[in-house]
Amino acid sequence: MNHPVQQLGTSVLVIGSGGAGLRASIELAERGIDVLVVGKRPKADAHTTLAAGGINAALGTMDPEDSWEQHAADTLTESRLLADPVTVQIVAEGAADSIADLERWGMAFARERDGRISQRFFGAHTYRRTAYAGDYTGLELQRTLLIRADELGVRFLDSIYITQVLVCDNVVFGAYGFDVDDGTRVTIHADAVILATGGHTRIWRRTSARRDENTGDSFRLAVQAGGKIRDPELVQFHPFGLLEPEDVAGTVVSEAARGEGGILRNGLGERFMRRYDAVRMELSSRDRVALAAYTEIQEGRGTARGGVWLDVSHLPPAQIMQRLPRVYQTLMELQLLDITTTPIEVSPTAHYSMGGIWVRAEDHSTGVAGMYAIGEAASGLHGANRLGGNSLIELLVYGKIVGRAAAAYSARLAAHNRCLAAVSRAREEVDAMLTIRGTQPVRYLQRAVRNTMSEHAGVVRTEAGLRAGLRAVADIECQMSDLAVHPDISGFADLAHAFDLQSGLIAARATLETALERRESRGAHIRADHPHPDQSLQVNLVWAGPGRIEHEKLPGIPHEIAALMRPVSTLGKLVE
């Protein structure tokens, strides 16, 4: 096929223009390294803008006794001992400096009257350590980072869909893709490639991810390039996903709602968290709250539509308008619901990929020379349960570290090998997708994947369900050869959807296979047929392709952090 091809070059290519990609690009630009950022959606509307609640850092502005060690201890405790202690220490220890960077770049944090940065409680935190900007923290973060990147002259290309990272003898030399608007092929030569491509939560039916994002791009790009995936079965289900309207079902009501004092009630009007965590109640960890809501619904104590009630109407209206403005606006726009007077109907929704690309803790390199991963695309910090507010601080701390590492890698390259065969394979992959003239609409098969994962790999899982899910995925994989891919004058979105489907299938298989391997209940991974933790499975599961799973031991926890950790009771954990 003859298609227009654009040849580009840069020292470091960043794939993904959300907060992680932006922070890495800023570090690179500040160090004088040529950097190009590409994204498949507009940079001002990246997934980071949806992060509402806040950014964790032990600043001690509200609770002076807080410390980075306690932040690390809370993170490891709630990870159910599956987070990497080295990664956790790096993030907790570097958090305050990252907040200082944002202050220097003009981020509008909420502040106390005396000028201190305000911090609020989030679930399962020992102290108030979540800095915020109302309940639109991610939007303000993205704005701040974009302004700084523009000041530094960072180059951006929106609407570029990357189909392959280009590799020669396990060394990265760029990436290949196409323009979603006009189909122009793009070959980008680069010394290093940073994957900031998000997670895989869109492969569930009810999800906080918007259409065509978090489809598992990170899994496909990493595995095709020779990387591995760690703990893909560890997916966080946020307890507060909207039930309606149907086209946005799963949209998250910010964690800030319970941080400000929101109350959960079942369909009978009972404040049901008493049964699951009588001490922390609604401020329990996300996995506990999500499972509690799921259990209430499954046992017939939910609402008529299959949800529970999240109520903030007892709070002063002025507090709601000041601290929860985005929640108020969202519910008014989507449901004409006034949260100052009326509770919100919610249920668990797939929200965050706690696993991701296998990376080294010290620099988030992937084992493929010159390829790095950051943000939700990477793994290591969250283990089996993510603390709210940790995702934004992770992308800031590691965005800076990876930017520094990629800059050093690029600077020390004496020569750069390229492989025409790798470029040809990438081109032929796109050509093959375009030549399919089948009968199966891509959207139909994407929905089939989402239905499969929702039915067989949701909040609670069983061996029988997971095996049924794998059979369903295999059936969908067989139908890939009968896809109906028809780009037209309106653009090449149909081709992008086909690659999203391919990514989703890889992510689904990885998730189902590792969920089957993890025969225990730990954090957000609940096996009804294995309801208790298994000490022998206090390991990370590393997936290298279909049927290839390794058990990876975790390093020890430093004494000064271990001394601050507390035991987590499983009482009330699995009630059904």
Side-chain angles (χ1 to χ4, degrees):
M1 287 187 173
N2 292 319
H3 294 281
V5 179
Q6 186 177 14
Q7 299 275 353
L8 300 171
T10 185
S11 295
V12 180
L13 171 66
V14 179
I15 305 174
S17 55
L22 290 177
R23 183 61 188 90
S25 71
I26 289 168
E27 188 66 20
L28 286 157
E30 287 185 338
R31 292 172 177 271
I33 303 297
D34 183 41
V35 55
L36 173 64
V37 182
V38 301
K40 65 180 183 179
R41 65 183 307 124
K43 59 182 180 293
D45 190 36
H47 188 69
T48 301
T49 62
L50 301 184
I55 309 173
N56 294 336
L59 304 178
T61 59
M62 308 298 287
D63 297 317
E65 59 270 45
D66 198 9
S67 65
W68 74 259
E69 291 93 342
Q70 187 62 64
H71 182 187
D74 290 352
T75 299
L76 284 162
T77 297
E78 296 304 331
S79 80
R80 305 306 187 262
L81 302 179
L82 290 188
D84 174 60
V86 179
T87 299
V88 171
Q89 178 169 344
I90 288 171
V91 170
E93 201 168 9
D97 284 346
S98 289
I99 297 296
D101 288 338
L102 295 177
E103 283 193 280
R104 189 168 62 254
W105 299 332
M107 182 160 170
F109 284 107
R111 294 182 182 271
E112 299 296 299
R113 290 185 177 180
D114 60 5
R116 288 173 295 149
I117 289 180
S118 298
Q119 294 190 283
R120 58 186 168 202
F121 273 119
F122 261 21
H125 289 271
T126 300
Y127 298 110
R128 290 173 288 180
R129 68 167 66 97
T130 305
Y132 60 95
D135 61 350
Y136 49 87
T137 308
L139 187 64
E140 174 63 13
L141 174 65
Q142 186 78 2
R143 183 196 69 83
T144 301
L145 295 177
L146 275 173
I147 289 173
R148 180 58 180 157
D150 286 340
E151 289 173 350
L152 293 166
V154 173
R155 290 187 295 157
F156 290 91
L157 283 177
D158 288 340
S159 302
I160 298 297
Y161 194 106
I162 298 298
T163 59
Q164 274 197 38
V165 174
L166 299 173
V167 178
C168 179
D169 296 329
N170 202 46
V171 178
V172 160
F173 69 93
Y176 187 88
F178 62 91
D179 189 309
V180 178
D181 293 329
D182 62 16
T184 298
R185 304 293 178 85
V186 180
T187 303
I188 305 171
H189 294 287
D191 296 340
V193 173
I194 298 173
L195 297 177
T197 42
H200 69 306
T201 53
R202 187 66 192 176
I203 66 173
W204 279 265
R205 187 170 56 242
R206 184 169 289 155
T207 170
S208 62
R210 297 172 298 187
R211 179 175 288 191
D212 302 327
E213 63 184 14
N214 280 3
T215 52
D217 303 46
S218 54
F219 287 59
R220 174 176 53 82
L221 292 172
V223 171
Q224 285 183 342
K228 300 177 182 179
I229 308 299
R230 180 162 51 198
D231 293 337
E233 79 283 7
L234 301 180
V235 176
Q236 185 167 71
F237 288 83
H238 197 292
F240 307 147
L242 296 179
L243 272 68
E244 57 177 2
E246 176 61 30
D247 61 336
V248 292
T251 297
V252 161
V253 177
S254 170
E255 183 91 355
R258 62 178 175 137
E260 291 297 328
I263 291 172
L264 282 168
R265 292 190 174 90
N266 61 21
L268 304 177
E270 299 170 328
R271 194 173 175 184
F272 60 84
M273 281 307 299
R274 300 183 198 279
R275 279 194 282 274
Y276 305 92
D277 194 335
V279 176
R280 297 181 295 183
M281 298 290 283
E282 286 83 8
L283 288 176
S284 184
S285 58
R286 277 188 182 173
D287 62 330
R288 182 70 60 89
V289 179
L291 182 61
Y294 172 88
T295 303
E296 293 295 305
I297 296 163
Q298 291 297 112
E299 295 189 349
R301 295 187 294 276
T303 63
R305 281 184 291 224
V308 295
W309 299 112
L310 170 61
D311 192 4
V312 296
S313 64
H314 57 285
L315 301 175
Q319 181 181 350
I320 292 174
M321 301 308 291
Q322 180 183 4
R323 302 290 188 92
L324 303 171
R326 196 173 188 182
V327 174
Y328 178 87
Q329 181 182 9
T330 298
L331 269 296
M332 187 59 72
E333 288 180 353
L334 294 180
Q335 299 181 3
L336 288 177
L337 182 75
D338 182 355
I339 66 171
T340 66
T341 62
T342 310
I344 310 162
E345 195 173 15
V346 296
S347 71
T349 179
H351 181 55
Y352 194 89
S353 303
M354 296 182 290
I357 299 169
W358 182 94
V359 290
R360 295 186 179 93
E362 59 271 20
D363 61 1
H364 269 28
S365 57
T366 62
V368 179
M371 187 170 80
Y372 302 83
I374 45 175
E376 195 172 354
S379 62
L381 178 64
H382 309 295
N385 184 50
R386 178 176 73 91
L387 287 179
N390 265 1
S391 57
L392 293 185
I393 198 61
E394 176 191 23
L395 66 83
L396 291 169
V397 172
Y398 270 108
K400 187 174 186 176
I401 290 170
V402 168
R404 186 167 63 232
Y409 176 84
S410 174
R412 67 175 177 263
L413 279 185
H416 202 163
N417 293 328
R418 294 179 181 178
C419 178
L420 292 178
V423 178
S424 295
R425 285 193 297 270
R427 182 180 62 248
E428 290 164 3
E429 182 185 40
V430 180
D431 288 346
M433 199 74 83
L434 284 170
T435 56
I436 300 174
R437 289 293 181 265
T439 60
Q440 290 285 10
V442 177
R443 289 300 199 195
Y444 176 83
L445 292 183
Q446 284 183 305
R447 176 56 67 93
V449 173
R450 298 177 72 197
N451 286 342
T452 295
M453 297 303 290
S454 297
E455 182 177 355
H456 301 300
V459 177
V460 176
R461 303 156 177 184
T462 65
E463 179 168 349
L466 294 167
R467 292 194 182 281
L470 283 168
R471 290 193 294 272
V473 164
D475 181 62
I476 300 167
E477 288 169 339
C478 289
Q479 297 178 66
M480 284 288 291
S481 60
D482 191 35
L483 279 184
V485 181
H486 302 293
D488 55 31
I489 195 170
S490 65
F492 281 68
D494 208 31
L495 179 61
H497 300 158
F499 276 100
D500 283 345
L501 172 60
Q502 187 182 73
S503 298
L505 285 167
I506 292 170
R509 178 167 288 283
T511 303
L512 290 163
E513 288 188 359
T514 51
L516 191 61
E517 180 78 3
R518 190 172 290 284
R519 293 174 174 84
E520 65 166 354
S521 290
R522 187 186 293 268
H525 175 71
I526 305 298
R527 286 283 298 267
D529 48 350
H530 296 279
H532 303 294
D534 182 339
Q535 182 63 28
S536 70
L537 286 169
Q538 191 180 310
V539 296
N540 295 135
L541 300 181
V542 180
W543 189 84
R548 296 161 56 196
I549 300 174
E550 304 167 6
H551 289 212
E552 181 180 62
K553 291 184 178 181
L554 287 146
I557 299 173
H559 173 74
E560 64 272 20
I561 296 173
L564 296 171
M565 295 173 66
R566 61 192 183 282
V568 176
S569 170
T570 57
L571 184 64
K573 177 65 177 169
L574 191 60
V575 177
E576 64 266 38

